[in-house]
Amino acid sequence: MAMSRPSTARVREINQAVDDLVRGEAAWAACDLAERRRLLERTHAATAEHAEAWVRAAVAYKKLPQDSPLVGEEWITGPYPVLTSLGALAASVAALEGSRSPVDGYSFGRAPGGRVAVRVLPHSIWDRLLLNGFRAEVWMPPGVTEETVRSRAGLALRHPARTNGVGVVLGAGNITSVPILDVLYELYANNRVVALKLNPVTDGLFEIFSQVLAPLIGLGAVRILTGGADVGTYLVHHPEVAHVHMTGSAATHDAIVFGTGEEGAARKKTGRPLLDKPVTSELGGVSPTIVLPGDWSEADLRYQAEHIATQKLHNGGYNCVASQVVVLSSDWAQKGRFLGHLRAALSNAPVRPAYYPGSDDRVARALESYADAENIGAGRVLIKSLDPAHPGPALEGEYFAPVLAVLELPGSPRQFLDDAVRAANESFAGTLGANLIAHPRTVASLGPALDDAIAALRYGTVALNAWTGVGYLTATATWGAYPGHSLDDVQSGIGVVHNALLLDRPERTVVRGPFRPAPRAIAHGELVMSPRPPWFVTNRTADTTGRLLAGFAAAPRWSALPRIFASALRG
């Protein structure tokens, strides 16, 4: 394959950036833990200072009205997780400074199969107040002991002077925190200096990201580049680059690793990569939402329909972990009513432009592929009933567009759950995230069988009565595909990111949330204070709540809580 080559001026720019990083690696190696913590603190301050400009730039390229509640998405998935991750990483570095483990102070539990589970949410008093009712654990593989978790937490920071060369991060174009979080993980977990190549969709963030990362850029540990596929191709093949991390699609991954066309396909088939260096990745997939049958109230049906509409339509549907297939029991007596609420929730969600390249074509292909696919308005497609024997492209790859399909399987809750898990593992492309929704009475009746089903799901994040996106927003959780994929069968990627506790080789994150929001939950005897989450596409005050949450992450304080609670309750 002939490698696409940038212009001479661009080649000089790339070579200069890599040369800077080769020299910067020595400066990074010379930084002790205390200095690395101070760099995180300075980056935290820079993020807080430029958060407003960051959100304005994201709103501009996503073509959102400035007064839309959807602007809250940009606060909550842009500056907010970067601020919380910087704080959590700084705490881990401080623990290592004091010859402690980053997991000291965190509680441990047990998960099916003898797994050790690190309870990462809630941890602080702020977690218990702001995310009341939400929990998250990081499960380690079977056989890993608590002592092993403690002794290995810290990853490459346990030996900060042993750096690992120059890494390339190929940034995402959808969620604006992804490139920054990936850079931080390369630096702090893997001890590599980083060349960040922005996705062209996010070029408008170049100046802001340069200001946010200024402390690390000034040291020589980070450089930021713009440009198209030619720049990315030249950069990843640069002889001084030791490692590549990318966020995107499996198709883009294969083009980078094996090349394109017939030659690329042949390389993949024979397992002979064109790229002769390690590659890690976070890719998308067919993220299922499994809805367990039960006896739900009308309010429950409506709320969970809005929940799934959020899983699909958040960020316009351009999320690697956007739900693509809803798995329902064909024997559920309330199936018809639920589907009616789901169609209404999808149809009535706020209209937004299709900002991501190729979206309209992918929507058109979905409509052409299925006779019962319905355009329900605003470019949204509902495929009402997949044939389990011949489900077609909805299970074979990620649409990365506002397309949602329904797959029905027969059976009582237990049999249905077993069959749904089997289908998700064996028939759905990708392993990034899976969601389950179950009434509290169903959860109680299933007992340990539900935890066993969660353990059986081969996904990097599994969420019960929550969206897996909560795992993305939890700095101390892990984010990535289920472990075990290879370059020639990459599925949803290789490796993890985020992971601010710097856990060694985690298996997955498991998130649990409340089935109902407050105050309705309290009326049903559930001690849950969280109202409708601000990431819901139906939340009317998401913009205000998102801004306030980012401000709180910049400077946690008791005095900020009343305004956050008041805004959240109005949502």
Side-chain angles (χ1 to χ4, degrees), residues 226-262:
T226 60
D230 58 339
V231 172
T233 300
Y234 183 87
L235 181 59
V236 300
H237 286 276
H238 195 287
E240 294 290 349
V241 167
H243 181 272
V244 175
H245 178 81
M246 66 159 291
T247 301
S249 69
T252 301
H253 170 274
D254 288 350
I256 291 168
V257 173
F258 296 103
T260 57
E262 293 182 4

Short mmCIF file of all heavy atoms in Angstrom, two decimals, residues 226-262:
data_model
loop_
_atom_site.label_atom_id
_atom_site.label_comp_id
_atom_site.label_asym_id
_atom_site.label_seq_id
_atom_site.Cartn_x
_atom_site.Cartn_y
_atom_site.Cartn_z
N THR A 226 -2.68 18.95 14.00
CA THR A 226 -3.93 18.84 13.26
C THR A 226 -3.64 18.24 11.89
O THR A 226 -2.48 18.07 11.50
CB THR A 226 -4.61 20.21 13.10
OG1 THR A 226 -3.71 21.07 12.37
CG2 THR A 226 -4.94 20.84 14.44
N GLY A 227 -4.70 17.94 11.17
CA GLY A 227 -4.52 17.41 9.82
C GLY A 227 -5.39 16.20 9.59
O GLY A 227 -6.06 15.69 10.49
N GLY A 228 -5.36 15.72 8.36
CA GLY A 228 -6.19 14.60 7.96
C GLY A 228 -5.49 13.27 8.09
O GLY A 228 -4.51 13.12 8.83
N ALA A 229 -6.01 12.29 7.33
CA ALA A 229 -5.48 10.93 7.41
C ALA A 229 -4.02 10.87 6.99
O ALA A 229 -3.26 10.03 7.49
CB ALA A 229 -6.33 10.01 6.54
N ASP A 230 -3.60 11.76 6.08
CA ASP A 230 -2.21 11.73 5.65
C ASP A 230 -1.26 12.07 6.79
O ASP A 230 -0.20 11.43 6.96
CB ASP A 230 -1.99 12.69 4.47
CG ASP A 230 -2.37 14.13 4.79
OD1 ASP A 230 -3.17 14.34 5.74
OD2 ASP A 230 -1.90 15.04 4.09
N VAL A 231 -1.65 13.04 7.62
CA VAL A 231 -0.83 13.40 8.78
C VAL A 231 -0.80 12.25 9.78
O VAL A 231 0.26 11.86 10.30
CB VAL A 231 -1.35 14.69 9.45
CG1 VAL A 231 -0.63 14.95 10.77
CG2 VAL A 231 -1.20 15.87 8.51
N GLY A 232 -1.99 11.67 10.05
CA GLY A 232 -2.05 10.56 10.99
C GLY A 232 -1.23 9.37 10.52
O GLY A 232 -0.52 8.74 11.31
N THR A 233 -1.30 9.07 9.24
CA THR A 233 -0.55 7.93 8.69
C THR A 233 0.95 8.14 8.81
O THR A 233 1.69 7.26 9.26
CB THR A 233 -0.94 7.71 7.22
OG1 THR A 233 -2.34 7.44 7.13
CG2 THR A 233 -0.17 6.54 6.62
N TYR A 234 1.40 9.33 8.43
CA TYR A 234 2.84 9.62 8.53
C TYR A 234 3.30 9.56 9.98
O TYR A 234 4.37 9.01 10.29
CB TYR A 234 3.13 10.99 7.93
CG TYR A 234 4.59 11.34 7.91
CD1 TYR A 234 5.41 10.96 6.86
CD2 TYR A 234 5.18 12.05 8.96
CE1 TYR A 234 6.77 11.27 6.85
CE2 TYR A 234 6.53 12.36 8.98
CZ TYR A 234 7.31 11.96 7.91
OH TYR A 234 8.66 12.27 7.91
N LEU A 235 2.48 10.09 10.87
CA LEU A 235 2.86 10.16 12.28
C LEU A 235 2.98 8.77 12.89
O LEU A 235 3.96 8.47 13.59
CB LEU A 235 1.83 11.00 13.04
CG LEU A 235 2.05 11.21 14.54
CD1 LEU A 235 3.37 11.91 14.80
CD2 LEU A 235 0.89 12.02 15.12
N VAL A 236 1.98 7.91 12.67
CA VAL A 236 2.03 6.60 13.34
C VAL A 236 3.16 5.73 12.79
O VAL A 236 3.66 4.84 13.49
CB VAL A 236 0.68 5.86 13.23
CG1 VAL A 236 -0.43 6.67 13.89
CG2 VAL A 236 0.32 5.51 11.80
N HIS A 237 3.59 5.99 11.56
CA HIS A 237 4.69 5.21 10.98
C HIS A 237 6.06 5.85 11.25
O HIS A 237 7.08 5.30 10.81
CB HIS A 237 4.49 5.04 9.48
CG HIS A 237 3.41 4.06 9.12
ND1 HIS A 237 3.63 2.71 9.06
CD2 HIS A 237 2.10 4.25 8.84
CE1 HIS A 237 2.50 2.09 8.73
NE2 HIS A 237 1.56 3.00 8.59
N HIS A 238 6.09 6.98 11.95
CA HIS A 238 7.35 7.65 12.22
C HIS A 238 8.27 6.71 13.01
O HIS A 238 7.85 6.08 13.99
CB HIS A 238 7.09 8.93 13.01
CG HIS A 238 8.25 9.86 13.03
ND1 HIS A 238 9.40 9.62 13.76
CD2 HIS A 238 8.44 11.07 12.40
CE1 HIS A 238 10.24 10.61 13.58
NE2 HIS A 238 9.69 11.51 12.75
N PRO A 239 9.53 6.60 12.63
CA PRO A 239 10.42 5.63 13.30
C PRO A 239 10.66 5.92 14.77
O PRO A 239 11.02 5.01 15.52
CB PRO A 239 11.73 5.74 12.49
CG PRO A 239 11.65 7.03 11.75
CD PRO A 239 10.20 7.26 11.48
N GLU A 240 10.46 7.17 15.22
CA GLU A 240 10.68 7.49 16.63
C GLU A 240 9.43 7.25 17.48
O GLU A 240 9.47 7.44 18.70
CB GLU A 240 11.12 8.95 16.77
CG GLU A 240 12.48 9.24 16.18
CD GLU A 240 13.62 8.61 16.97
OE1 GLU A 240 13.37 8.12 18.09
OE2 GLU A 240 14.76 8.60 16.46
N VAL A 241 8.33 6.88 16.85
CA VAL A 241 7.10 6.61 17.61
C VAL A 241 7.09 5.16 18.06
O VAL A 241 7.27 4.24 17.26
CB VAL A 241 5.85 6.93 16.75
CG1 VAL A 241 4.59 6.35 17.38
CG2 VAL A 241 5.72 8.44 16.57
N ALA A 242 6.88 4.95 19.37
CA ALA A 242 6.96 3.61 19.95
C ALA A 242 5.61 2.95 20.13
O ALA A 242 5.52 1.72 20.27
CB ALA A 242 7.67 3.68 21.31
N HIS A 243 4.54 3.73 20.14
CA HIS A 243 3.22 3.18 20.49
C HIS A 243 2.14 4.07 19.92
O HIS A 243 2.32 5.30 19.82
CB HIS A 243 3.09 3.08 22.02
CG HIS A 243 1.78 2.50 22.48
ND1 HIS A 243 0.66 3.28 22.69
CD2 HIS A 243 1.42 1.22 22.76
CE1 HIS A 243 -0.33 2.50 23.10
NE2 HIS A 243 0.10 1.25 23.15
N VAL A 244 1.00 3.48 19.57
CA VAL A 244 -0.15 4.23 19.04
C VAL A 244 -1.39 3.86 19.84
O VAL A 244 -1.64 2.68 20.12
CB VAL A 244 -0.38 3.90 17.55
CG1 VAL A 244 -1.64 4.59 17.03
CG2 VAL A 244 0.82 4.29 16.71
N HIS A 245 -2.14 4.89 20.23
CA HIS A 245 -3.46 4.68 20.84
C HIS A 245 -4.48 5.46 20.02
O HIS A 245 -4.27 6.63 19.71
CB HIS A 245 -3.51 5.14 22.29
CG HIS A 245 -4.88 4.96 22.89
ND1 HIS A 245 -5.32 3.75 23.36
CD2 HIS A 245 -5.92 5.83 23.03
CE1 HIS A 245 -6.58 3.88 23.78
NE2 HIS A 245 -6.96 5.13 23.59
N MET A 246 -5.61 4.82 19.71
CA MET A 246 -6.63 5.49 18.91
C MET A 246 -8.01 5.25 19.49
O MET A 246 -8.27 4.24 20.16
CB MET A 246 -6.59 4.98 17.47
CG MET A 246 -6.97 3.52 17.31
SD MET A 246 -7.52 3.11 15.63
CE MET A 246 -9.09 3.98 15.54
N THR A 247 -8.89 6.21 19.23
CA THR A 247 -10.31 6.07 19.51
C THR A 247 -11.04 6.24 18.19
O THR A 247 -10.78 7.19 17.45
CB THR A 247 -10.78 7.13 20.52
OG1 THR A 247 -10.04 6.98 21.73
CG2 THR A 247 -12.26 6.99 20.81
N GLY A 248 -11.94 5.32 17.88
CA GLY A 248 -12.66 5.43 16.62
C GLY A 248 -13.41 4.16 16.31
O GLY A 248 -13.96 3.51 17.20
N SER A 249 -13.42 3.78 15.05
CA SER A 249 -14.14 2.59 14.61
C SER A 249 -13.17 1.45 14.34
O SER A 249 -11.97 1.66 14.12
CB SER A 249 -14.93 2.89 13.34
OG SER A 249 -14.04 3.10 12.25
N ALA A 250 -13.72 0.23 14.31
CA ALA A 250 -12.90 -0.93 13.98
C ALA A 250 -12.36 -0.83 12.56
O ALA A 250 -11.23 -1.26 12.28
CB ALA A 250 -13.72 -2.21 14.16
N ALA A 251 -13.16 -0.24 11.65
CA ALA A 251 -12.70 -0.09 10.26
C ALA A 251 -11.49 0.83 10.18
O ALA A 251 -10.53 0.56 9.45
CB ALA A 251 -13.84 0.43 9.39
N THR A 252 -11.52 1.94 10.94
CA THR A 252 -10.38 2.86 10.95
C THR A 252 -9.17 2.18 11.57
O THR A 252 -8.04 2.33 11.09
CB THR A 252 -10.74 4.14 11.72
OG1 THR A 252 -11.88 4.75 11.10
CG2 THR A 252 -9.59 5.11 11.73
N HIS A 253 -9.39 1.44 12.64
CA HIS A 253 -8.30 0.69 13.27
C HIS A 253 -7.62 -0.22 12.25
O HIS A 253 -6.40 -0.25 12.13
CB HIS A 253 -8.85 -0.12 14.44
CG HIS A 253 -7.88 -1.12 15.00
ND1 HIS A 253 -7.73 -2.40 14.48
CD2 HIS A 253 -7.00 -1.04 16.03
CE1 HIS A 253 -6.81 -3.04 15.16
NE2 HIS A 253 -6.36 -2.25 16.12
N ASP A 254 -8.42 -1.00 11.52
CA ASP A 254 -7.85 -1.95 10.57
C ASP A 254 -7.11 -1.25 9.44
O ASP A 254 -6.07 -1.74 8.97
CB ASP A 254 -8.95 -2.85 10.01
CG ASP A 254 -9.46 -3.85 11.04
OD1 ASP A 254 -8.85 -3.97 12.12
OD2 ASP A 254 -10.48 -4.51 10.76
N ALA A 255 -7.62 -0.08 9.02
CA ALA A 255 -6.92 0.67 7.98
C ALA A 255 -5.56 1.14 8.46
O ALA A 255 -4.58 1.12 7.71
CB ALA A 255 -7.78 1.86 7.54
N ILE A 256 -5.47 1.53 9.72
CA ILE A 256 -4.20 1.99 10.29
C ILE A 256 -3.23 0.81 10.47
O ILE A 256 -2.06 0.90 10.13
CB ILE A 256 -4.44 2.70 11.63
CG1 ILE A 256 -5.16 4.03 11.39
CG2 ILE A 256 -3.13 2.93 12.38
CD1 ILE A 256 -5.69 4.66 12.65
N VAL A 257 -3.74 -0.29 10.99
CA VAL A 257 -2.88 -1.41 11.36
C VAL A 257 -2.49 -2.25 10.15
O VAL A 257 -1.32 -2.67 10.01
CB VAL A 257 -3.57 -2.28 12.43
CG1 VAL A 257 -2.76 -3.55 12.70
CG2 VAL A 257 -3.74 -1.49 13.72
N PHE A 258 -3.46 -2.50 9.26
CA PHE A 258 -3.21 -3.43 8.15
C PHE A 258 -3.15 -2.75 6.78
O PHE A 258 -2.67 -3.35 5.81
CB PHE A 258 -4.29 -4.51 8.12
CG PHE A 258 -4.28 -5.40 9.32
CD1 PHE A 258 -5.23 -5.25 10.32
CD2 PHE A 258 -3.32 -6.37 9.49
CE1 PHE A 258 -5.23 -6.06 11.45
CE2 PHE A 258 -3.30 -7.19 10.61
CZ PHE A 258 -4.26 -7.03 11.59
N GLY A 259 -3.64 -1.52 6.68
CA GLY A 259 -3.75 -0.87 5.39
C GLY A 259 -5.14 -1.04 4.81
O GLY A 259 -6.02 -1.68 5.41
N THR A 260 -5.36 -0.50 3.62
CA THR A 260 -6.67 -0.50 3.01
C THR A 260 -6.71 -1.39 1.78
O THR A 260 -5.68 -1.89 1.31
CB THR A 260 -7.06 0.94 2.62
OG1 THR A 260 -6.06 1.46 1.73
CG2 THR A 260 -7.16 1.83 3.85
N GLY A 261 -7.93 -1.57 1.25
CA GLY A 261 -8.11 -2.32 0.02
C GLY A 261 -7.82 -3.81 0.16
O GLY A 261 -7.76 -4.36 1.27
N GLU A 262 -7.60 -4.45 -0.98
CA GLU A 262 -7.36 -5.89 -0.98
C GLU A 262 -6.08 -6.26 -0.24
O GLU A 262 -6.00 -7.29 0.43
CB GLU A 262 -7.31 -6.40 -2.43
CG GLU A 262 -8.64 -6.30 -3.16
CD GLU A 262 -8.57 -6.86 -4.56
OE1 GLU A 262 -7.50 -7.40 -4.93
OE2 GLU A 262 -9.57 -6.77 -5.29
#
